[in-house]
Amino acid sequence: MSAAEKSPHIPVLIRPLIAAVSPVSGVWLDGTFGNGGYTRALLAAGAEKVIGVDRDPLAFEMAADWVAAYGDRIETVAGVFSKLDEYGSDLDGVVLDLGVSSMQLDLAERGFSFMRDGPLDMRMSQDGPSAADLCNDADEAELADIIYLYGEERASRRIAKAIVAARPLTTTLQLAKIVEGCLPRAKPGQSHPATRTFQALRIAVNNEYGELAEGLMAAERALKPGGQLAVVTFHSVEDRMVKRFLQARSGNTANANRYAPETAQVTPAWRIEKRKAIGPDDEELAENPRSRSAKLRVAIRTDAPAQAIDPALLGMPMKKKKGGGKCVVYFMF
């Protein structure tokens, strides 16, 4: 039995999430099925059915022994949540947990963890170019930009130079050692020096920011009036994107990006009852230290027509093209 199978997964912010969206009823879509924690909690709280979506085939392999017990109350879909409106419509609720699944972190062979040696992979879908491909094929400037924009790592140029000099890279501990050599030793209580670099590469490999922008718009299309969207984020960029999306589409632009161009007032597509994000309480922090950076935002769909929104308005990390061209977002190849 693997570590992922032996370690119970604790869904982050599950108690405040269920409290915020109660009473739960109807059909919900869990866009990040993972270990099934949110799906089971929604069913226990009163959902008639949950559509569980995940791009990682391992999620459904691990759930096979318990999903069947729910019969047609659970429908599983192998796919990405950026297309969630293709998997369900007129939904009562959508839940997105943007953190990396514990089953992915715990399995060394998936290549997400800098604490376990394994192939430098990081692909959630187990398909397409890997983190090793990115480290070995991207030029130094592109690597530096990815590490800085997606990991908010100040030493990005130094790290990118060291990665290029060490090519070819094939394992997680090889990369972690390279990053450690570029940064001061972490003090007690500080995160591992490789944390931000691994985060940046994972985001690039899986196009996580692009998925989030598209997923928020897909949720707006899929939810019926009165339907609820609950999003759990784990770092500032994700939370900023969710916050600005809801601000812009709820008609509240007072605190939106001051550098973004002015946009015409729109009919609010969302109602936000709690402006401030919900974080973990002391009990959850004691139970699950991983929850310390988590934030939950909840919004209620109105009957206004769904509309697309420019991802640039959401604060998605972008890099100016040379010569003053349009901003571009780094995706994997």
Side-chain angles (χ1 to χ4, degrees):
M1 183 179 290
S2 71
E5 292 170 316
K6 290 185 290 186
S7 302
H9 175 66
I10 305 172
V12 175
L13 297 181
I14 189 61
R15 288 190 295 266
L17 188 152
I18 294 298
V21 301
S22 290
V24 178
S25 63
V27 180
W28 284 66
L29 186 145
D30 180 355
T32 46
F33 182 78
N35 286 278
Y38 288 95
T39 289
R40 283 183 276 192
L42 288 167
L43 291 169
E48 296 171 17
K49 177 181 178 179
V50 175
I51 302 168
V53 178
D54 207 295
R55 57 170 144 177
D56 189 340
L58 180 61
F60 302 124
E61 290 177 22
M62 293 182 64
D65 61 344
W66 61 264
V67 163
Y70 286 90
D72 60 5
R73 294 185 70 201
I74 295 181
E75 176 187 347
T76 58
V77 178
V80 288
F81 64 71
S82 59
K83 298 179 179 180
L84 68 85
D85 58 324
E86 297 180 10
Y87 315 136
S89 60
D90 206 29
L91 298 171
D92 293 275
V94 169
V95 174
L96 302 176
D97 169 15
L98 304 182
V100 182
S101 170
S102 61
M103 70 180 181
Q104 293 166 334
L105 289 172
D106 291 341
L107 295 173
E109 61 266 30
R110 299 301 302 276
F112 287 95
S113 176
F114 44 76
M115 302 299 292
R116 298 176 173 84
D117 198 20
L120 190 55
D121 195 326
M122 302 192 193
R123 296 171 300 173
M124 292 181 179
S125 65
Q126 301 185 40
D127 186 37
S130 67
D133 294 323
L134 178 55
C135 287
N136 293 323
D137 297 341
D139 63 41
E140 184 177 320
E142 182 180 358
L143 274 174
D145 286 335
I146 288 171
I147 295 169
Y148 178 76
L149 290 169
Y150 290 173
E152 301 179 291
E153 172 58 75
R154 294 182 179 180
S156 59
R157 295 185 183 278
R158 193 184 318 148
I159 293 169
K161 184 176 182 179
I163 288 174
V164 171
R167 287 172 172 171
L169 276 69
T170 58
T171 71
T172 52
L173 290 191
Q174 184 183 7
L175 175 60
K177 185 175 181 180
I178 290 168
V179 178
E180 286 182 271
C182 296
L183 297 170
R185 184 182 296 274
K187 297 177 181 179
Q190 290 184 330
S191 60
H192 190 283
T195 300
R196 291 183 291 274
T197 297
F198 270 66
Q199 170 188 299
L201 294 175
R202 189 201 79 225
I203 289 170
V205 166
N206 296 290
N207 184 20
E208 292 181 32
Y209 291 151
E211 281 289 308
L212 176 55
E214 293 294 331
L216 293 170
M217 288 185 276
E220 185 171 305
R221 295 190 296 268
L223 285 163
K224 68 182 184 181
Q228 300 186 80
L229 171 66
V231 186
V232 176
T233 63
F234 286 85
H235 59 82
S236 59
V237 175
E238 292 173 340
D239 182 60
R240 181 176 69 213
M241 290 178 64
V242 176
K243 179 181 178 180
R244 288 185 179 174
F245 171 80
L246 294 175
Q247 285 178 336
R249 297 296 295 131
S250 67
N252 176 22
T253 57
N255 298 313
N257 183 1
R258 59 178 173 160
Y259 299 108
E262 291 187 11
T263 56
Q265 190 70 25
V266 297
T267 303
W270 299 92
R271 186 172 78 253
I272 306 171
E273 296 188 341
K274 289 189 177 181
R275 299 286 172 184
K276 189 174 180 181
I278 300 169
D281 57 21
D282 292 341
E283 181 181 356
E284 178 158 7
L285 287 171
E287 292 175 350
N288 184 11
R290 176 176 171 262
S291 69
R292 65 186 179 279
S293 60
K295 291 183 178 180
L296 166 66
R297 292 189 185 273
V298 178
I300 302 170
R301 187 72 171 88
T302 71
D303 59 1
Q307 294 183 13
I309 187 170
D310 183 352
L313 301 178
L314 307 183
M316 182 188 295
M318 294 184 174
K319 178 180 181 295
K320 284 279 191 180
K321 283 185 176 179
K322 291 181 179 179
K326 292 182 179 180
C327 290
V328 294
V329 185
Y330 278 117
F331 296 147
M332 184 59 181
F333 302 133

